Amino acid sequence: MRIEKFQNILIPIDFSENSLIALEHGVFLAKHLKIDVTLLYIHEAQNISSTIRKLMFAHPSDEVILDKSVTDKLNELAAEVQSKTSVIVKTHTAKGSIATQIIKAAADLDCNLIVMGTHGASGIENFMGGSNTFNVVASANCPVISVLSHSGSKGIKDIVLPLDNSKETRQKVDEAIVFARFFGSTIHVVGVTVSEDPKDHYYVNKVCEQVEKYIKEDNVPCTHNFFHGENITNLTLDYAKKIDADLIVIMTEQEINPTGFFMGPYAQQMINQSAIPVLSIRPKEKEAHFVMPY
C-alpha cells in the first residue's frame, strides 16, 4: 500500500560522523515534507561494549551521570537543529538492543520513515555500522533510508528504480512515486539481470515497460533502461553514478536461514557500497489472487 503522507522521521543518533550525516539528510527531507523529526539515542543492552563500560565506572551513579549527560547532549542537538531549520525536532531515549529499539521506537512514535547512517563494508562495527543497519533495514515495517556520505542539498531530482525478475520487485514502485511527487523527481527505471538468457531479458524489459507506463500515468516523469552483467549491484550503482542520481530505491530481498529471515546479499551490497542514499523497502506478503496494477 502506498504511503501518501509521512508523519515523522526517526533518526538514530550516537553522535558519530555517520549518524550526523544521517541527521543532515533526515532534516533536509523533513523540511521539504513539512514533518517532524525524532532523534533516538539508545543505551545499549548487555554486550561487550556495555561490559567494558561498567568496568570504567567505580560506582553505579557514575553511569547515571553519563546517561544524563548523553540526554542533555541529545536535547542540545535537537534545539540547535530546530533553531537553524525551523523543523520540529523531538528526542527519545531507550535501553536495549540497538536494532530492536530502533524498530520499536518507529512503531511506538508513529514514525513511518527511518533515516540512519552506515559505515559501509570496511566500517567500524558500532551503533551505526554493520549488522545494526542491516537488521533495521531487514526488519522494519516502514521504509529505511541508509546514508554513507554527504550529498549536499541539491534535492532529490533523479531516482533510480532497479527492477529484476523477482516477484517482489514491483512492490517498491509506489514508494518511489511518492518521493518523486514530493520532490518533482524523474524516476529512472533500470532493468538488471545476471542472466544471459534472452527470455529473461525479454521478461525484465517487459516489466520495465509496464512500470514506466504505470508511473507516467501518475504524471511522474520516467525513463527506462536495461543492463545485464555479472553483478546487479554494480550495474545499478554504475548507472546511478552516470546520471548523478540522488536516491536509489531497492527491495530488501529476504532469504531464509536456520534462525529465520535475513537480508540477502544484493541489499547488503547496495547499502555498503552506495555513496548515494538508498531507500530500502521490506517485501510484503501478497494474497495469491492479488494482481499488480501494472
Side-chain angles (χ1 to χ4, degrees), residues 17-139:
E17 180 182 359
N18 289 77
S19 70
L20 295 178
I21 289 172
L23 174 62
E24 175 188 319
H25 282 268
V27 170
F28 172 81
L29 290 172
K31 188 171 183 177
H32 286 77
L33 297 173
K34 296 181 173 57
I35 59 175
D36 300 345
V37 161
T38 297
L39 307 186
L40 171 68
Y41 183 88
I42 299 166
H43 302 278
E44 293 187 61
Q46 292 293 331
N47 55 25
I48 293 176
S49 63
S50 61
T51 301
I52 293 174
R53 173 171 144 155
K54 281 192 172 183
L55 294 174
M56 292 172 61
F57 302 105
H59 193 276
S61 62
D62 294 336
E63 190 169 1
V64 173
I65 292 171
L66 176 64
D67 289 346
K68 183 180 185 305
S69 175
V70 168
T71 301
D72 290 343
K73 188 176 180 181
L74 189 67
N75 289 333
E76 288 173 9
L77 178 61
E80 179 184 355
V81 171
Q82 185 163 316
S83 66
K84 289 181 178 179
T85 64
S86 298
V87 172
I88 296 176
V89 184
K90 295 167 283 190
T91 63
H92 185 75
T93 60
K95 291 187 178 182
S97 165
I98 298 295
T100 299
Q101 291 303 317
I102 291 174
I103 294 167
K104 182 177 185 300
D108 292 347
L109 303 174
D110 294 324
C111 300
N112 56 355
L113 179 63
I114 299 170
V115 179
M116 64 187 298
T118 181
H119 281 287
S122 60
I124 300 170
E125 177 68 25
N126 68 1
F127 190 115
M128 287 293 110
S131 61
N132 284 323
T133 303
F134 295 150
N135 288 339
V136 172
V137 169
S139 303

